[in-house]
Amino acid sequence: VYRNLAKTVYLLHDKTPHLKLHLVAAAFAALGHPIDPDQVECILANLIYLNLLKGYISHAKQTLVLSKKDPFPTAALIHKLPAEAAP
């Protein structure tokens, strides 16, 4: 759900790779779930860690910087499991 919300904000802002965190916070508020910028940063950091987003967060600029190539990986790439270690 969070990934899709971030993707919607990205698409609404003409696929710009730099999204201010307050824009994502405004999207949450529009859905009736106002959250502070620190919570937005935490959610986005977890999405990046889980490989649901490609990019990084500039804490100093309060900006999500998305990869120019495939910032939102397809479901096939997301659910690809790592190879099991040989016994």
Side-chain angles (χ1 to χ4, degrees):
V1 174
Y2 295 142
R3 176 187 177 274
N4 290 339
L5 182 64
K7 187 173 182 177
T8 300
V9 173
Y10 169 75
L11 294 173
L12 287 173
H13 287 88
D14 298 324
K15 297 184 179 179
T16 180
H18 298 147
L19 290 176
K20 294 289 188 181
L21 297 183
H22 71 83
L23 295 174
V24 181
F28 275 101
L31 294 174
H33 299 286
I35 59 175
D36 64 44
D38 289 334
Q39 289 175 308
V40 171
E41 190 171 345
C42 181
I43 289 168
L44 294 173
N46 280 298
L47 291 174
I48 292 168
Y49 173 77
L50 295 170
N51 294 320
L52 298 174
L53 293 178
K54 289 183 183 178
Y56 65 91
I57 297 171
S58 172
H59 181 74
K61 295 182 180 181
Q62 292 292 293
T63 303
L64 170 65
V65 181
L66 294 166
S67 170
K68 290 183 181 178
K69 181 182 176 190
D70 195 25
F72 298 90
T74 60
L77 295 174
I78 292 170
H79 297 295
K80 186 177 179 181
L81 298 174
E84 293 183 6

